[in-house]
Amino acid sequence: MGKKSKNNYFEMFVELVSFCCKASEYLHKLLIDYDPAALPAAMEEMHLIEHTADERKHVLTAKLAADAGTPISRADILGLAAAIDNVTDSIEDVLLKLYMFNITAIRPDVEAFSATMVHCTKALKNTLKEFENYKKSVSIHQSIVEINRLEEEGDRLYQEAVHRLFCQETDPIQVFSWSQTYSRLERCCDACEQAANLVESVIMRNT
């Protein structure tokens, strides 16, 4: 561990991941009660979430640049901030693809998929809440394991959804559009796992 820092980066990580949770919950609600006509306004709302997250990441970066001592390495702080930000970006990308591909109706697979994404972001937030006290935490390892499990569930849902798509759909435009949309949903879970794995790596380097 490094010198005592005047900035609490662990709290800033939790703040950043809160935007991931907000974005995933917002997208999940949109998908459950889908209205293609509402997508332009929804994209603006989602972009506001993503833009605010970016601004908070820039605040973290500015504080880091002026900080003489940090609790973990500067590279790890930057890496974690970028990994968390990537989760929010991945969620926004799903919504953009719905608009770009002119998706007019949601397939039955999507609700379980987006629910898994919500659970992933919540588990990531639980992980980062425990990160500051990782040496004493009794739950951080379980949270990381849970994210790994949810990512595997996302992989399974992706495989099954794409299989059904190719079995049931003959319109090549629909096949392409939904293949890409399912892929973007699966990437949200991947992004959560990548962030969790980075937390685990930081813990291993500091114990």
Side-chain angles (χ1 to χ4, degrees):
M1 302 293 284
K3 299 177 181 178
K4 181 70 174 179
S5 173
K6 61 182 179 181
N7 298 307
N8 192 322
Y9 296 100
F10 300 104
E11 287 184 357
M12 286 186 264
F13 292 147
V14 174
E15 181 186 27
L16 290 179
V17 81
S18 294
F19 293 106
C20 304
C21 294
K22 187 174 182 180
S24 66
E25 290 165 3
Y26 183 63
L27 178 61
H28 184 55
K29 289 177 183 177
L30 286 171
L31 292 171
I32 290 174
D33 189 19
Y34 189 70
D35 177 6
L39 286 180
M43 288 192 298
E44 289 186 11
E45 181 65 25
M46 182 69 83
H47 185 66
L48 179 61
I49 296 170
E50 186 276 335
H51 180 68
T52 307
D54 275 346
E55 288 182 333
R56 298 310 299 165
K57 187 184 75 170
H58 293 321
V59 169
L60 180 153
T61 303
K63 289 183 176 181
L64 181 63
D67 203 345
T70 57
I72 56 178
S73 79
R74 303 167 78 83
D76 284 337
I77 291 171
L78 286 173
L80 277 169
I84 297 167
D85 186 60
N86 187 48
V87 176
T88 307
D89 289 345
S90 298
I91 296 166
E92 182 185 29
D93 193 40
V94 176
L95 184 55
L96 294 177
K97 292 301 181 290
L98 294 172
Y99 175 76
M100 291 165 61
F101 298 146
N102 193 32
I103 300 294
T104 57
I106 296 299
R107 291 176 63 85
D109 317 271
V110 170
E111 184 174 342
F113 221 143
S114 64
T116 301
M117 173 191 63
V118 170
H119 293 318
C120 258
T121 57
K122 287 181 177 178
L124 183 60
K125 186 173 184 179
N126 289 338
T127 299
L128 289 164
K129 281 182 175 179
E130 291 292 313
F131 188 28
E132 184 171 8
N133 299 309
Y134 67 86
K135 289 186 177 180
K136 297 179 180 179
S137 175
V138 296
S139 63
I140 191 167
H141 177 69
Q142 288 88 341
S143 293
I144 293 170
V145 169
E146 175 63 4
I147 294 168
N148 295 151
R149 185 193 71 78
L150 288 165
E151 190 277 333
E152 290 179 0
E153 176 66 8
D155 283 345
R156 185 190 67 79
L157 289 168
Y158 172 66
Q159 292 161 12
E160 293 300 320
V162 172
H163 175 73
R164 279 189 292 272
L165 176 66
F166 277 83
C167 288
Q168 298 169 0
E169 187 58 68
T170 57
D171 183 345
I173 294 176
Q174 290 296 313
V175 171
F176 172 81
S177 299
W178 275 105
S179 295
Q180 291 294 310
T181 303
Y182 286 139
S183 175
R184 295 315 192 276
L185 279 164
E186 192 266 342
R187 287 183 190 179
C188 295
C189 297
D190 284 348
C192 285
E193 184 181 51
Q194 289 163 8
N197 288 344
L198 186 51
V199 170
E200 190 171 44
S201 296
V202 172
I203 291 172
M204 292 301 295
R205 284 195 292 273
N206 289 279
T207 52

